[in-house]
Amino acid sequence: MEQYSILGRIGEGAHGIVFKAKHIETGETVALKKVALRKLEDGIPNQALREIKALQEIEDNQHVVKLKDVFPHGTGFVLVFDFMLSDLSEVIRNSEHPLTPAQVKGYMMMLLKGVAFLHHNNIMHRDLKPANLLISSSGHLKIADFGLARLFSEQGERLYSHQVATRWYRAPELLYGARKYDEGVDLWAVGCIFGELLNSSPLFPGENDIEQLCCVLRVLGTPTQDSWPEMVDLPDYNKITFKENPAIPLEEIVPDTSPQAVDLLYKFLVYPSKQRCSAQQWDSLRGITKRKCEEHVDFRLGRVLS
């Protein structure tokens, strides 16, 4: 740690406290994530190992946070990342006015490019949410916090924990206790983030897992075996029943939104995981803004947060 000067505390991530720091020799500003081990003999926590493994195994990408270094410290270790000024949650929360269609489009394009890159490298993030999407001073978005990340295979035979993803962004199959799932859980979260950008508030703000499922069903309607055949095979399918509830048109949930944006939102918020729009189809975002694609988008945080 002696090569860094601590400039302040940023916050807490999975298993660690994050600090803003400056490399004394180079002057570079970075983010240091200090991970403490409860007992030295316990070794490095599994989630931290996943984060290191996932980030070290993939090449650099402009929309995924860069792991610059790892070194031991005391009874734990330190991860060194690019420093980013803010996160998307703060941008949404502190903006006095709704984000413009051009801003929404820009953030979504960067998010989807990052997610497409992860999925191409067989990585499920499993905890996509605005707070884990870091924003630079120029408005550049990078996906961060890989504490729940997992490598997946095309065969899809591996069992995973269903207790992943922050509740408001948790896919319905996870809420029903799914142990076998795919990168569709990330795509559901992308849809939730998209809706939050459009509406300046979370789409499904459940206070517990049952209420979370109720929030989803209240908007998208109660699924049937025809609309979601895989539902009956989920572990918790028979543990709770819901009365039949018709869907609310998403146009009512995200008013003042272009038809193209609403149509894209529908493509992410689909019950069957395999039917969700893949991140590689980010080009579908054309048309969200009514102006031409070459319009200037000012993402500087000073403008967004003012």
Side-chain angles (χ1 to χ4, degrees), residues 198-268:
L198 294 169
N199 227 21
S200 301
S201 62
L203 283 184
F204 308 119
E207 294 186 6
N208 54 57
D209 286 358
I210 298 298
E211 186 181 330
Q212 185 64 32
L213 201 47
C214 288
C215 285
V216 173
L217 270 57
R218 192 178 303 126
V219 173
L220 299 185
T222 308
T224 65
Q225 290 192 36
D226 289 334
S227 64
W228 189 13
E230 303 87 353
M231 174 179 62
V232 298
D233 297 322
L234 295 173
D236 296 340
Y237 170 67
N238 289 315
K239 293 183 180 179
I240 184 170
T241 58
F242 297 93
K243 65 179 182 179
E244 289 191 19
N245 187 55
I248 300 173
L250 289 181
E251 292 85 347
E252 296 180 16
I253 303 299
V254 286
D256 304 319
T257 299
S258 73
Q260 295 93 337
V262 173
D263 181 62
L264 184 60
L265 186 58
Y266 270 115
K267 291 179 180 177
F268 288 117

Side-chain angles (χ1 to χ4, degrees), residues 69-80:
D69 194 12
V70 184
F71 57 86
H73 176 67
T75 59
F77 60 97
V78 176
L79 304 172
V80 184

Side-chain angles (χ1 to χ4, degrees), residues 125-236:
H125 187 279
R126 303 200 305 174
D127 196 19
L128 292 174
K129 58 183 178 180
N132 285 342
L133 305 177
L134 303 185
I135 308 294
S136 72
S137 57
S138 61
H140 192 85
L141 181 148
K142 291 189 179 185
I143 299 170
D145 206 332
F146 285 75
L148 291 174
R150 271 285 199 269
L151 297 173
F152 66 88
S153 67
E154 296 300 327
Q155 285 71 35
E157 293 301 315
R158 186 174 174 183
L159 294 177
Y160 304 103
S161 169
H162 67 283
Q163 293 294 339
V164 295
T166 303
R167 184 181 298 117
W168 294 354
Y169 310 92
R170 194 175 296 165
E173 60 267 29
L174 299 176
L175 295 169
Y176 271 112
R179 297 294 306 281
K180 286 185 179 181
Y181 51 84
D182 54 30
E183 65 273 28
V185 299
D186 287 345
L187 300 172
W188 175 272
V190 166
C192 294
I193 294 166
F194 187 22
E196 191 164 341
L197 286 169
L198 294 169
N199 227 21
S200 301
S201 62
L203 283 184
F204 308 119
E207 294 186 6
N208 54 57
D209 286 358
I210 298 298
E211 186 181 330
Q212 185 64 32
L213 201 47
C214 288
C215 285
V216 173
L217 270 57
R218 192 178 303 126
V219 173
L220 299 185
T222 308
T224 65
Q225 290 192 36
D226 289 334
S227 64
W228 189 13
E230 303 87 353
M231 174 179 62
V232 298
D233 297 322
L234 295 173
D236 296 340

Side-chain angles (χ1 to χ4, degrees), residues 60-77:
D60 292 352
N61 181 271
Q62 61 177 332
H63 300 301
V64 176
V65 73
K66 171 67 177 173
L67 176 60
K68 304 174 79 67
D69 194 12
V70 184
F71 57 86
H73 176 67
T75 59
F77 60 97

